[in-house]
Amino acid sequence: MRELFDVRLNSDDRPMSQAELVEAVRTAQVLVPTVTDRIDQSVISQAGSQFKLIANFGNGVDNIDIEAAARKGITVTNTPNVLTEDTADMTVGLMIAVSRRLVQGAERIRSNEWKGWSPTWMLGRRIWGKQLGIVGMGRIGTAVARRAKAFGLSIHYHNRHRVSAAVEEELGATYWESLDQMLARMDIVSVNCPHTPATYHLLSARRLALLQPGAIVVNTARGEIIDQDALIKALQEDRIAGAGLDVFESEPAVSPDLIKLSDEGKAVIIPHMGSATLEGRQEMGDRVIINIRVWDDGHRPPDRVLPGRT
Ligand code: 8YV
C-alpha cells in the first residue's frame, strides 16, 4: 500500500475511535476498515466530498452502512472468496471440537487429571452419519458442505434461494424452504449466512427451542445471527448438547456465562479467528489493493458491494 498510495496506517492494530474514523473520512479518499471499525450513518454523513471508496478488509460488511454510503455516492468493496476455505475449515474444526470434546480433553492433560485410558472416559458423539443443517448456502456454506460430506454427514440447507441442481447433486444436499422444519431435524446446525437486518437473531429463542436435545450449533458467521442469551439458556438447561462459537454478540466482550459453559465442556469458544491464516490475510490485502487500484484507474472495482445484495 505504501508503494502504491499515499497512506496513513494504523500501525498498532488498535481499533480506531469514531473521532479518528470521522477524521479519516474528512481527509482521505479511501478508507480501509476492518470488522472492528463501525462505519455508520453518522461517520458517513461527516465524510468530505473527496471521500469516495470504502475498501473493507474483510468479507462481511455489517460494520458498514452500505445504504448510507450508496446515497453519498461512495463505493464499497469487500474481500470475498479468499477466506472461504479457511472459514470452512474452522467451521468443521468446531463441529469436531464440540462433538469429540477436543478442548476438554486437552485441558484434562494440562490439569494433570488423566490417570490412564478408560472405556467410558471422555466420550463424545460420532459425527459420521449425522444430519448437518447449513443456514446460508453461499460460498462458505457450500465449502462447509463439501468438507462435511467427506466426514459422512448428510447435508441439509436453508437459503434465500435454492442452489443449482448440479450443486445439490454434487453435495447430496436437501433444500429446506422452512428453516423451522430443518432445525427440528438436525444433529448439527452451522450458521454461514451474512449478518443483515433480515438475519439478525434468525436463530431466535423460538427457533432454538425447536432443536433436538442432542443438537449442536456452530457459528463462524456473526454473533448477531443467534440470540446469544437464548443460546446460553438452552445450553444451561441442557435443551441442546453444545455450541462451537467463533463469533459473539458485542465482540470482543464474551459473556461470562459462555466462558462458564466452555469450562463445563458444553461450548467451544474461540476469538473470531475463522479466517485467521497468514495466507488468507495476505490474499485479503491483495484484494483490497486490487479494488483500490482498479477504482483509482477509473474503473468499477471487482468486489463492489451493492445495497440489498449482501
Ligand atoms: C475478517 C470476517 O477477518 O471477513 C469477515 O467477514 O469475519 C473476518 O474473518 C474480518 O472481517 C476482518 O475485517
Side-chain angles (χ1 to χ4, degrees):
M1 298 259 284
R2 268 203 188 112
E3 279 171 24
L4 292 170
F5 314 111
D6 172 18
V7 286
R8 251 173 302 151
L9 298 176
N10 173 12
S11 44
D12 62 7
D13 271 356
R14 176 185 48 83
M16 288 169 74
S17 68
Q18 291 299 101
E20 287 169 322
L21 290 171
V22 168
E23 168 64 13
V25 299
R26 280 197 177 140
T27 51
Q29 283 178 287
V30 181
L31 182 68
V32 181
T34 74
V35 68
T36 57
D37 303 309
R38 186 141 299 282
I39 319 300
D40 55 17
Q41 152 78 34
S42 146
V43 171
I44 289 170
S45 67
Q46 297 178 69
S49 55
Q50 86 300 331
F51 184 67
K52 291 289 176 217
L53 174 65
I54 303 171
N56 195 47
F57 183 82
N59 190 31
V61 286
D62 55 337
N63 54 320
I64 302 166
D65 189 332
I66 305 289
E67 277 78 19
R71 282 196 299 273
K72 257 199 128 173
I74 298 165
T75 303
V76 177
T77 61
N78 67 343
T79 61
N81 298 313
V82 293
L83 32 72
T84 300
E85 306 302 334
D86 295 326
T87 308
D89 286 345
M90 196 60 108
T91 307
V92 175
L94 282 172
M95 288 176 199
I96 297 172
V98 176
S99 305
R100 300 300 305 277
R101 306 173 70 181
L102 265 182
V103 176
Q104 246 191 327
E107 190 47 44
R108 292 291 195 278
I109 291 190
R110 275 159 42 88
S111 60
N112 210 17
E113 278 175 73
W114 189 35
K115 304 299 174 216
W117 189 90
S118 115
T120 54
W121 200 56
M122 289 306 292
L123 302 186
R125 296 304 298 265
R126 176 182 292 164
I127 289 221
W128 185 269
K130 297 284 166 64
Q131 321 266 342
L132 167 66
I134 298 176
V135 181
M137 196 69 146
R139 283 181 290 258
I140 297 174
T142 307
V144 169
R146 290 208 171 96
R147 285 158 176 74
K149 192 180 173 210
F151 277 87
L153 285 155
S154 63
I155 311 299
H156 301 257
Y157 75 99
H158 170 79
N159 200 41
R160 274 179 306 179
H161 315 289
R162 200 165 169 167
V163 300
S164 72
V167 172
E168 276 190 3
E169 199 182 315
E170 176 206 335
L171 300 168
T174 304
Y175 172 63
W176 292 82
E177 195 177 338
S178 160
L179 176 59
D180 290 9
Q181 291 197 19
M182 182 179 86
L183 292 175
R185 290 162 177 80
M186 296 299 116
D187 300 298
I188 304 176
V189 172
S190 175
V191 176
N192 296 109
C193 58
H195 168 218
T196 66
T199 63
Y200 176 77
H201 282 193
L202 185 64
L203 265 59
S204 58
R206 182 188 68 76
R207 288 207 168 105
L208 290 168
L210 299 171
L211 293 168
Q212 307 184 93
I216 70 166
V217 175
V218 172
N219 188 3
T220 52
R222 284 292 183 269
E224 291 83 352
I225 301 166
I226 304 181
D227 179 339
Q228 189 169 286
D229 289 340
L231 178 70
I232 290 170
K233 213 152 176 277
L235 288 163
Q236 287 169 335
E237 294 171 1
D238 290 322
R239 285 187 280 112
I240 61 171
L245 306 175
D246 181 44
V247 287
F248 307 89
E249 282 198 89
S250 320
E251 285 177 21
V254 177
S255 153
D257 288 330
L258 275 178
I259 295 172
K260 187 156 179 278
L261 285 162
S262 111
D263 291 341
E264 293 163 3
K266 290 188 191 171
V268 174
I269 54 175
I270 52 172
H272 199 143
M273 48 196 269
S275 71
T277 66
L278 182 59
E279 295 88 340
R281 288 288 185 268
Q282 285 170 344
E283 288 171 12
M284 286 164 71
D286 290 344
R287 294 298 325 160
V288 167
I289 290 172
I290 289 166
N291 282 307
I292 300 174
R293 196 60 200 253
V294 172
W295 168 82
D296 195 33
D297 286 346
H299 304 290
R300 281 204 296 243
D303 304 320
R304 269 180 321 145
V305 181
L306 300 172
R309 295 271 188 88
T310 54

